[in-house]
Amino acid sequence: MTEYTPPAVWKHDTENGGRFAAINRPTAGAREEKELPRGDHPYQLYSLATPNGVKANIIFEELIEEGHDLDYDAWVINIGEQEQFTSGFVDVNPNSKIPALLDLSGPEPVRVFESGAILMHMAEKFDRFQAKGAARAEMLSWLFWQIGSAPFIGGGFGHFYAYAPEKYEYPINRYAMETKRLFDVADQRLAQTQFLSGDEYTIADMAAWPWMAPFTKGVIYNDAKTFLSIDEYEHVGRWAKEIGERVAVRRAMMVNKTWGDEDTQVPNRHSAADFEGKKV
């Protein structure tokens, strides 16, 4: 491997971005004038069924499963087609990342962007899936542990192991080590408690599950399950299986999904009827 010597001043190289070269730029803002669609419900979710996108789907489907009086429209934002850079989406999320939520349930529209913020917004609004009292600090700690760790798993390990135009030992080893360390953190915690923040299922689990469960099933980053010896994290496996069997979570995995078996896809969700005839 040729050693890289950084220049005195960094410049964006559009030819050296790998799979995401057309998406990533060092600038923010809209690249195209286009309004977002709106449905009839008070909550408009703009997303894709990536791990971060699934987080938002879970809180909505869990609230609906419990019988709360709410419904939502979920619209696909095709990040491969750069729809996250349209003016309508940037108005809701200036960071141009999915998911983004427009809450129209009050007197004034409220935008909520970033997956952790959406989880907290909905949990607080309906007073569900959040720990109380002293346990709240534990829940928030695990929630932000996940938010802080996701870039190491996705942008770190996932990128260099599966998506980078060339594979290099140093970055793969660096982020494989960190991903395994994070799994070990969770595994040691889940050896003591049923869920991350304790004995109660909360938004901390909703945040971490979409990132960790795919590793236990071997459905993310090619053969990463074998490469990282994920089966050795038995308590994470138990937790991932338990949450994955929840009906609301199974529905959430289908919302805004545009790949795989068509029977598992609900690209744009507008009502519970959209799941009829699907493999929930």
mmCIF file of all heavy atoms in Angstrom, residues 145 148-149 151-153 156-157 171-185 228 233:
data_model
loop_
_atom_site.group_PDB
_atom_site.id
_atom_site.type_symbol
_atom_site.label_atom_id
_atom_site.label_comp_id
_atom_site.label_asym_id
_atom_site.label_seq_id
_atom_site.Cartn_x
_atom_site.Cartn_y
_atom_site.Cartn_z
ATOM 1 N N TRP A 145 -25.162 6.408 23.823
ATOM 2 C CA TRP A 145 -24.080 5.461 23.514
ATOM 3 C C TRP A 145 -24.263 4.938 22.090
ATOM 4 O O TRP A 145 -23.316 4.895 21.307
ATOM 5 C CB TRP A 145 -24.113 4.297 24.509
ATOM 6 C CG TRP A 145 -23.283 3.113 24.097
ATOM 7 C CD1 TRP A 145 -21.937 2.968 24.238
ATOM 8 C CD2 TRP A 145 -23.747 1.906 23.469
ATOM 9 N NE1 TRP A 145 -21.523 1.749 23.744
ATOM 10 C CE2 TRP A 145 -22.612 1.071 23.259
ATOM 11 C CE3 TRP A 145 -24.999 1.440 23.074
ATOM 12 C CZ2 TRP A 145 -22.699 -0.191 22.670
ATOM 13 C CZ3 TRP A 145 -25.089 0.184 22.482
ATOM 14 C CH2 TRP A 145 -23.949 -0.606 22.293
ATOM 15 N N GLY A 148 -23.692 7.715 19.428
ATOM 16 C CA GLY A 148 -22.279 8.010 19.266
ATOM 17 C C GLY A 148 -21.487 6.887 18.628
ATOM 18 O O GLY A 148 -20.454 7.127 17.993
ATOM 19 N N SER A 149 -21.961 5.652 18.771
ATOM 20 C CA SER A 149 -21.209 4.503 18.267
ATOM 21 C C SER A 149 -21.551 4.128 16.831
ATOM 22 O O SER A 149 -20.735 3.502 16.148
ATOM 23 C CB SER A 149 -21.446 3.282 19.163
ATOM 24 O OG SER A 149 -22.793 2.838 19.115
ATOM 25 N N PRO A 151 -21.577 5.699 13.950
ATOM 26 C CA PRO A 151 -20.622 6.038 12.880
ATOM 27 C C PRO A 151 -19.416 5.100 12.815
ATOM 28 O O PRO A 151 -18.868 4.866 11.740
ATOM 29 C CB PRO A 151 -20.195 7.466 13.248
ATOM 30 C CG PRO A 151 -21.344 8.015 14.017
ATOM 31 C CD PRO A 151 -21.862 6.852 14.817
ATOM 32 N N PHE A 152 -19.000 4.545 13.954
ATOM 33 C CA PHE A 152 -17.881 3.597 13.940
ATOM 34 C C PHE A 152 -18.277 2.305 13.232
ATOM 35 O O PHE A 152 -17.478 1.699 12.525
ATOM 36 C CB PHE A 152 -17.422 3.290 15.372
ATOM 37 C CG PHE A 152 -16.723 4.425 16.039
ATOM 38 C CD1 PHE A 152 -17.414 5.288 16.881
ATOM 39 C CD2 PHE A 152 -15.370 4.640 15.831
ATOM 40 C CE1 PHE A 152 -16.765 6.351 17.492
ATOM 41 C CE2 PHE A 152 -14.717 5.696 16.446
ATOM 42 C CZ PHE A 152 -15.421 6.554 17.273
ATOM 43 N N ILE A 153 -19.544 1.904 13.412
ATOM 44 C CA ILE A 153 -20.012 0.658 12.799
ATOM 45 C C ILE A 153 -20.307 0.862 11.319
ATOM 46 O O ILE A 153 -19.875 0.078 10.479
ATOM 47 C CB ILE A 153 -21.264 0.145 13.535
ATOM 48 C CG1 ILE A 153 -20.913 -0.192 14.992
ATOM 49 C CG2 ILE A 153 -21.838 -1.077 12.831
ATOM 50 C CD1 ILE A 153 -22.112 -0.596 15.832
ATOM 51 N N GLY A 156 -17.488 3.643 9.640
ATOM 52 C CA GLY A 156 -16.158 3.084 9.858
ATOM 53 C C GLY A 156 -16.032 1.682 9.292
ATOM 54 O O GLY A 156 -15.578 1.486 8.170
ATOM 55 N N PHE A 157 -16.481 0.695 10.073
ATOM 56 C CA PHE A 157 -16.332 -0.690 9.643
ATOM 57 C C PHE A 157 -17.063 -0.975 8.331
ATOM 58 O O PHE A 157 -16.489 -1.525 7.388
ATOM 59 C CB PHE A 157 -16.836 -1.655 10.726
ATOM 60 C CG PHE A 157 -16.847 -3.083 10.261
ATOM 61 C CD1 PHE A 157 -15.655 -3.796 10.147
ATOM 62 C CD2 PHE A 157 -18.035 -3.708 9.895
ATOM 63 C CE1 PHE A 157 -15.654 -5.107 9.687
ATOM 64 C CE2 PHE A 157 -18.036 -5.014 9.441
ATOM 65 C CZ PHE A 157 -16.842 -5.715 9.328
ATOM 66 N N PRO A 171 -7.534 0.436 8.167
ATOM 67 C CA PRO A 171 -8.872 0.914 8.543
ATOM 68 C C PRO A 171 -9.837 -0.230 8.858
ATOM 69 O O PRO A 171 -10.682 -0.089 9.746
ATOM 70 C CB PRO A 171 -9.333 1.722 7.325
ATOM 71 C CG PRO A 171 -8.482 1.246 6.203
ATOM 72 C CD PRO A 171 -7.182 0.854 6.796
ATOM 73 N N ILE A 172 -9.727 -1.358 8.143
ATOM 74 C CA ILE A 172 -10.615 -2.480 8.444
ATOM 75 C C ILE A 172 -10.337 -3.003 9.845
ATOM 76 O O ILE A 172 -11.258 -3.241 10.639
ATOM 77 C CB ILE A 172 -10.469 -3.602 7.391
ATOM 78 C CG1 ILE A 172 -11.041 -3.129 6.050
ATOM 79 C CG2 ILE A 172 -11.176 -4.875 7.856
ATOM 80 C CD1 ILE A 172 -10.843 -4.113 4.919
ATOM 81 N N ASN A 173 -9.058 -3.175 10.193
ATOM 82 C CA ASN A 173 -8.719 -3.647 11.529
ATOM 83 C C ASN A 173 -9.140 -2.646 12.601
ATOM 84 O O ASN A 173 -9.636 -3.022 13.676
ATOM 85 C CB ASN A 173 -7.221 -3.913 11.634
ATOM 86 C CG ASN A 173 -6.800 -5.185 10.938
ATOM 87 O OD1 ASN A 173 -7.642 -6.002 10.560
ATOM 88 N ND2 ASN A 173 -5.506 -5.374 10.756
ATOM 89 N N ARG A 174 -8.938 -1.371 12.314
ATOM 90 C CA ARG A 174 -9.284 -0.328 13.292
ATOM 91 C C ARG A 174 -10.766 -0.360 13.631
ATOM 92 O O ARG A 174 -11.158 -0.323 14.809
ATOM 93 C CB ARG A 174 -8.902 1.044 12.711
ATOM 94 C CG ARG A 174 -9.432 2.243 13.493
ATOM 95 C CD ARG A 174 -8.773 2.352 14.867
ATOM 96 N NE ARG A 174 -9.237 3.512 15.597
ATOM 97 C CZ ARG A 174 -10.343 3.561 16.339
ATOM 98 N NH1 ARG A 174 -11.112 2.480 16.450
ATOM 99 N NH2 ARG A 174 -10.682 4.663 16.995
ATOM 100 N N TYR A 175 -11.610 -0.436 12.608
ATOM 101 C CA TYR A 175 -13.041 -0.365 12.867
ATOM 102 C C TYR A 175 -13.650 -1.725 13.195
ATOM 103 O O TYR A 175 -14.695 -1.784 13.860
ATOM 104 C CB TYR A 175 -13.751 0.307 11.687
ATOM 105 C CG TYR A 175 -13.409 1.776 11.607
ATOM 106 C CD1 TYR A 175 -12.610 2.277 10.589
ATOM 107 C CD2 TYR A 175 -13.863 2.658 12.579
ATOM 108 C CE1 TYR A 175 -12.288 3.627 10.534
ATOM 109 C CE2 TYR A 175 -13.542 4.002 12.537
ATOM 110 C CZ TYR A 175 -12.752 4.488 11.517
ATOM 111 O OH TYR A 175 -12.431 5.820 11.481
ATOM 112 N N ALA A 176 -13.020 -2.817 12.774
ATOM 113 C CA ALA A 176 -13.457 -4.139 13.231
ATOM 114 C C ALA A 176 -13.254 -4.237 14.738
ATOM 115 O O ALA A 176 -14.118 -4.739 15.473
ATOM 116 C CB ALA A 176 -12.681 -5.234 12.512
ATOM 117 N N MET A 177 -12.103 -3.765 15.213
ATOM 118 C CA MET A 177 -11.833 -3.766 16.648
ATOM 119 C C MET A 177 -12.882 -2.959 17.405
ATOM 120 O O MET A 177 -13.425 -3.413 18.426
ATOM 121 C CB MET A 177 -10.448 -3.181 16.920
ATOM 122 C CG MET A 177 -10.105 -3.078 18.409
ATOM 123 S SD MET A 177 -8.522 -2.243 18.701
ATOM 124 C CE MET A 177 -8.924 -0.572 18.174
ATOM 125 N N GLU A 178 -13.204 -1.772 16.910
ATOM 126 C CA GLU A 178 -14.166 -0.925 17.609
ATOM 127 C C GLU A 178 -15.569 -1.510 17.556
ATOM 128 O O GLU A 178 -16.319 -1.441 18.545
ATOM 129 C CB GLU A 178 -14.156 0.489 17.013
ATOM 130 C CG GLU A 178 -15.077 1.472 17.700
ATOM 131 C CD GLU A 178 -14.717 1.750 19.161
ATOM 132 O OE1 GLU A 178 -13.632 1.305 19.621
ATOM 133 O OE2 GLU A 178 -15.523 2.410 19.845
ATOM 134 N N THR A 179 -15.945 -2.096 16.424
ATOM 135 C CA THR A 179 -17.270 -2.718 16.327
ATOM 136 C C THR A 179 -17.381 -3.874 17.311
ATOM 137 O O THR A 179 -18.399 -4.020 18.010
ATOM 138 C CB THR A 179 -17.526 -3.198 14.889
ATOM 139 O OG1 THR A 179 -17.504 -2.066 14.012
ATOM 140 C CG2 THR A 179 -18.887 -3.876 14.774
ATOM 141 N N LYS A 180 -16.356 -4.699 17.395
ATOM 142 C CA LYS A 180 -16.376 -5.808 18.346
ATOM 143 C C LYS A 180 -16.385 -5.298 19.792
ATOM 144 O O LYS A 180 -17.058 -5.873 20.667
ATOM 145 C CB LYS A 180 -15.190 -6.734 18.116
ATOM 146 C CG LYS A 180 -15.344 -7.611 16.872
ATOM 147 C CD LYS A 180 -14.195 -8.584 16.708
ATOM 148 C CE LYS A 180 -14.170 -9.640 17.800
ATOM 149 N NZ LYS A 180 -15.347 -10.552 17.772
ATOM 150 N N ARG A 181 -15.675 -4.221 20.053
ATOM 151 C CA ARG A 181 -15.691 -3.662 21.399
ATOM 152 C C ARG A 181 -17.096 -3.197 21.771
ATOM 153 O O ARG A 181 -17.575 -3.426 22.899
ATOM 154 C CB ARG A 181 -14.704 -2.491 21.497
ATOM 155 C CG ARG A 181 -14.500 -1.994 22.931
ATOM 156 C CD ARG A 181 -13.742 -0.681 22.950
ATOM 157 N NE ARG A 181 -14.549 0.413 22.433
ATOM 158 C CZ ARG A 181 -15.477 1.056 23.144
ATOM 159 N NH1 ARG A 181 -15.715 0.701 24.399
ATOM 160 N NH2 ARG A 181 -16.162 2.042 22.608
ATOM 161 N N LEU A 182 -17.794 -2.561 20.830
ATOM 162 C CA LEU A 182 -19.152 -2.094 21.088
ATOM 163 C C LEU A 182 -20.108 -3.262 21.320
ATOM 164 O O LEU A 182 -20.982 -3.199 22.195
ATOM 165 C CB LEU A 182 -19.636 -1.228 19.922
ATOM 166 C CG LEU A 182 -18.909 0.109 19.774
ATOM 167 C CD1 LEU A 182 -19.211 0.742 18.423
ATOM 168 C CD2 LEU A 182 -19.274 1.057 20.916
ATOM 169 N N PHE A 183 -19.941 -4.327 20.547
ATOM 170 C CA PHE A 183 -20.759 -5.513 20.782
ATOM 171 C C PHE A 183 -20.470 -6.095 22.163
ATOM 172 O O PHE A 183 -21.386 -6.586 22.844
ATOM 173 C CB PHE A 183 -20.512 -6.560 19.689
ATOM 174 C CG PHE A 183 -21.483 -6.473 18.556
ATOM 175 C CD1 PHE A 183 -21.345 -5.508 17.566
ATOM 176 C CD2 PHE A 183 -22.549 -7.359 18.466
ATOM 177 C CE1 PHE A 183 -22.253 -5.414 16.518
ATOM 178 C CE2 PHE A 183 -23.465 -7.280 17.420
ATOM 179 C CZ PHE A 183 -23.314 -6.302 16.440
ATOM 180 N N ASP A 184 -19.215 -6.045 22.583
ATOM 181 C CA ASP A 184 -18.863 -6.574 23.895
ATOM 182 C C ASP A 184 -19.453 -5.705 25.004
ATOM 183 O O ASP A 184 -19.899 -6.227 26.041
ATOM 184 C CB ASP A 184 -17.343 -6.651 24.034
ATOM 185 C CG ASP A 184 -16.917 -7.554 25.176
ATOM 186 O OD1 ASP A 184 -17.548 -8.614 25.372
ATOM 187 O OD2 ASP A 184 -15.951 -7.206 25.875
ATOM 188 N N VAL A 185 -19.466 -4.397 24.821
ATOM 189 C CA VAL A 185 -20.108 -3.498 25.786
ATOM 190 C C VAL A 185 -21.573 -3.899 25.961
ATOM 191 O O VAL A 185 -22.071 -4.042 27.088
ATOM 192 C CB VAL A 185 -20.007 -2.032 25.329
ATOM 193 C CG1 VAL A 185 -20.876 -1.130 26.205
ATOM 194 C CG2 VAL A 185 -18.564 -1.550 25.365
ATOM 195 N N LEU A 228 -16.467 -11.074 12.050
ATOM 196 C CA LEU A 228 -16.419 -10.483 13.382
ATOM 197 C C LEU A 228 -16.773 -11.478 14.492
ATOM 198 O O LEU A 228 -16.824 -11.087 15.664
ATOM 199 C CB LEU A 228 -17.358 -9.279 13.458
ATOM 200 C CG LEU A 228 -17.014 -8.093 12.551
ATOM 201 C CD1 LEU A 228 -18.105 -7.031 12.633
ATOM 202 C CD2 LEU A 228 -15.661 -7.494 12.926
ATOM 203 N N TYR A 233 -21.282 -13.263 20.903
ATOM 204 C CA TYR A 233 -22.006 -12.314 21.745
ATOM 205 C C TYR A 233 -23.415 -12.864 21.994
ATOM 206 O O TYR A 233 -24.411 -12.407 21.425
ATOM 207 C CB TYR A 233 -22.032 -10.935 21.085
ATOM 208 C CG TYR A 233 -20.643 -10.440 20.739
ATOM 209 C CD1 TYR A 233 -20.188 -10.414 19.419
ATOM 210 C CD2 TYR A 233 -19.768 -10.038 21.745
ATOM 211 C CE1 TYR A 233 -18.913 -9.981 19.113
ATOM 212 C CE2 TYR A 233 -18.473 -9.611 21.443
ATOM 213 C CZ TYR A 233 -18.058 -9.591 20.127
ATOM 214 O OH TYR A 233 -16.776 -9.177 19.830
#
